[in-house]
Amino acid sequence: MKVTDHIKNANGKTQFSFEILPPLKGEHLQSIFDNIDPLMEFNPPFIDVTYHREEYIYKELENGLLKKKIVKKRPGTVGICAAIQNKYQVDAIPHILCGGFTTEDTENFLIDLDFLGIQNVMALRGDPVKSETYFKPDKEGHAYASDLVNQIQELNLGNYLDDELLNTSKTDFCIGVAAYPEKHAEAPSLDSDIYFLKKKIKKGANYIVTQMFFDNQKYFDFVKKCRNEGITIPIIPGLKPIATKKQLNLIPHRFKVDLPDELIHEVLNCKNNEQVRQVGVEWCVNQSKELKKAGIPVLHYYSMGRSDNIRSIASQIF
Ligand code: FAD
């Protein structure tokens, strides 16, 4: 079922969903199930599976020259989605990127999803690869998520890249896109970012999932601004419980979000990461309670591959 239908059918009840990462190459699929199993009692209508593009690794040769090697450390997004749908009878949502994809790769990826009965897809640009400062699309790929949304929407209309194909079958994807309550790192202003968010919606996006935030007011202000700009589709908040002291620096650096002083002080007062995990759970429970009270349709949790803290939060909220 489509995410938008899950929201409609819930009749205003707040639902629980979460995101998982594919395991590192070499690890077994069971590691994913071990993370999902404890969360199934909270009846997630859908589970997101991230996509991880290739990375460049440089190996030094005996003659001192460097050899570039391209590796995908976390392959398997589509296979995991199929496995989740098959095992749990829950909608799995693969993330798909502009980065590393030609438009032909994108079309073939979408055809696989359609054949597997996957009805939702999260369309993202992706970040620059580690060796680059700015995002560089594939020569025959998309530069922005709005272009990717456009291609998905074209396939929904039965328009394939090869316009000589006749009597084509139409896909019916529900399309999710990302948004940033604290602004995307590269956007010159929040207004500019929302301007391009509107473009993704105009091209066919059906719902939004936000970047993580630790201060609900930022989410409420963002939603208000979007609604004032005429954005009417669901804006699902993304939530992440802080789990280690290191994340105090890592999260702002990597995701360009601020942490409230009160949370920082509580984390700094912890003696070990077990205590930090507890602080992170409590903070996230309080965020979740307030969002639920505000009638938000879905609370979406970033599990980052470990579900014990998400379980602890969900058991207090759902
Ligand atoms: P876009 O919407 O294309 O926006 C990128 C930037 O370009 C923004 O600053 C925007 O304002 C600007 N912009 C947009 N259109 C134009 C235009 N036409 N002209 C000029 N500027 C423009 N990354 C992964 O690699 N894998 C994942 O699975 C993944 N999942 C994610 C899930 C969520 C919910 C979120 C919030 C992020 C996720 N990301 C993931 C990270 C995401 O790929 C990065 O944040 C990326 O830098 C931006 O992606 P986007 O889809 O928001 O890009």
Side-chain angles (χ1 to χ4, degrees):
M1 200 195 288
K2 294 179 178 185
V3 167
T4 44
D5 289 332
H6 281 298
I7 291 175
K8 260 185 231 142
N9 295 349
N11 286 323
K13 188 171 169 262
T14 301
Q15 300 178 90
F16 163 77
S17 77
F18 61 96
E19 174 187 291
I20 56 160
L21 276 65
L24 284 165
K25 193 182 269 182
E27 284 178 18
H28 198 270
L29 181 63
Q30 187 57 40
S31 63
I32 289 293
F33 295 151
D34 291 344
N35 267 307
I36 296 178
D37 284 344
L39 300 176
M40 289 313 290
E41 69 172 281
F42 308 108
N43 298 318
F46 56 87
I47 300 169
D48 275 58
V49 184
T50 54
Y51 190 94
H52 299 259
R53 64 176 297 188
E54 72 285 1
E55 291 178 31
Y56 301 146
I57 292 177
Y58 292 89
K59 273 200 164 172
E60 192 169 350
L61 301 174
E62 276 178 14
N63 59 10
L65 292 175
L66 292 176
K67 188 178 173 203
K68 182 169 151 186
K69 202 173 160 213
I70 301 176
V71 285
K72 264 194 185 172
K73 289 188 178 167
R74 293 182 186 272
T77 300
V78 176
I80 292 169
C81 285
I84 289 174
Q85 296 213 151
N86 185 39
K87 183 172 163 76
Y88 300 102
Q89 315 297 316
V90 164
D91 285 302
I93 308 184
H95 292 192
I96 177 173
L97 304 180
C98 301
F101 279 72
T102 65
T103 51
E104 176 78 17
D105 293 336
T106 301
E107 185 169 279
N108 294 337
F109 189 94
L110 293 168
I111 289 170
D112 275 345
L113 303 186
D114 187 45
F115 288 174
L116 285 166
I118 290 169
Q119 289 186 309
N120 303 280
V121 61
M122 181 78 188
L124 301 143
R125 187 196 70 178
D127 284 321
V129 287
K130 278 190 187 128
S131 51
E132 290 169 357
T133 312
Y134 299 104
F135 174 79
K136 241 204 250 151
D138 187 280
K139 266 198 272 39
E140 291 172 34
H142 298 302
Y144 296 107
S146 53
D147 303 323
L148 174 58
V149 171
N150 187 57
Q151 183 178 1
I152 302 169
Q153 192 55 28
E154 282 297 319
L155 214 60
N156 280 348
L157 297 169
N159 299 326
Y160 288 67
L161 293 173
D162 180 354
D163 53 17
E164 286 179 8
L165 291 177
L166 295 175
N167 302 320
T168 51
S169 114
K170 292 177 185 172
T171 57
D172 189 18
F173 289 112
C174 176
I175 308 168
V177 289
Y180 306 81
E182 296 177 58
K183 182 181 95 56
H184 182 256
E186 296 161 33
S189 70
L190 188 58
D191 283 350
S192 150
D193 213 15
I194 292 179
Y195 172 84
F196 291 117
L197 174 61
K198 279 165 74 178
K199 194 166 171 193
K200 293 195 269 197
I201 297 162
K202 201 166 158 212
K203 295 287 181 190
N206 304 105
Y207 71 97
I208 293 165
V209 181
T210 76
Q211 182 58 280
M212 64 184 74
F213 54 88
F214 296 86
D215 173 357
N216 284 351
Q217 198 52 48
K218 297 207 165 142
Y219 169 80
F220 292 131
D221 291 347
F222 177 71
V223 172
K224 194 168 167 206
K225 211 166 166 50
C226 288
R227 299 300 181 223
N228 287 341
E229 284 289 327
I231 294 174
T232 56
I233 62 176
I235 304 178
I236 298 173
L239 296 165
K240 180 189 152 40
I242 205 157
T244 63
K245 247 184 206 182
K246 227 167 139 186
Q247 287 175 346
L248 283 186
N249 303 108
L250 209 132
I251 288 175
H253 177 68
R254 183 133 171 236
F255 301 105
K256 313 293 180 238
V257 299
D258 284 341
L259 298 175
D261 283 330
E262 195 187 331
L263 175 60
I264 297 170
H265 288 140
E266 283 186 33
V267 171
L268 287 176
N269 282 335
C270 291
K271 291 200 177 70
N272 51 44
N273 278 339
E274 242 353 274
Q275 289 184 3
V276 177
R277 259 181 123 66
Q278 195 48 41
V279 164
V281 166
E282 279 163 24
W283 191 272
C284 197
V285 163
N286 288 336
Q287 279 193 278
S288 306
K289 279 184 181 162
E290 191 181 24
L291 292 164
K292 191 178 175 196
K293 204 166 158 212
I296 307 302
V298 183
L299 305 186
H300 186 69
Y301 296 87
Y302 297 114
S303 83
M304 304 288 199
R306 271 188 73 181
S307 60
D308 57 329
N309 50 358
I310 307 294
R311 188 175 194 289
S312 174
I313 295 159
S315 64
Q316 297 179 61
I317 304 293
F318 298 96

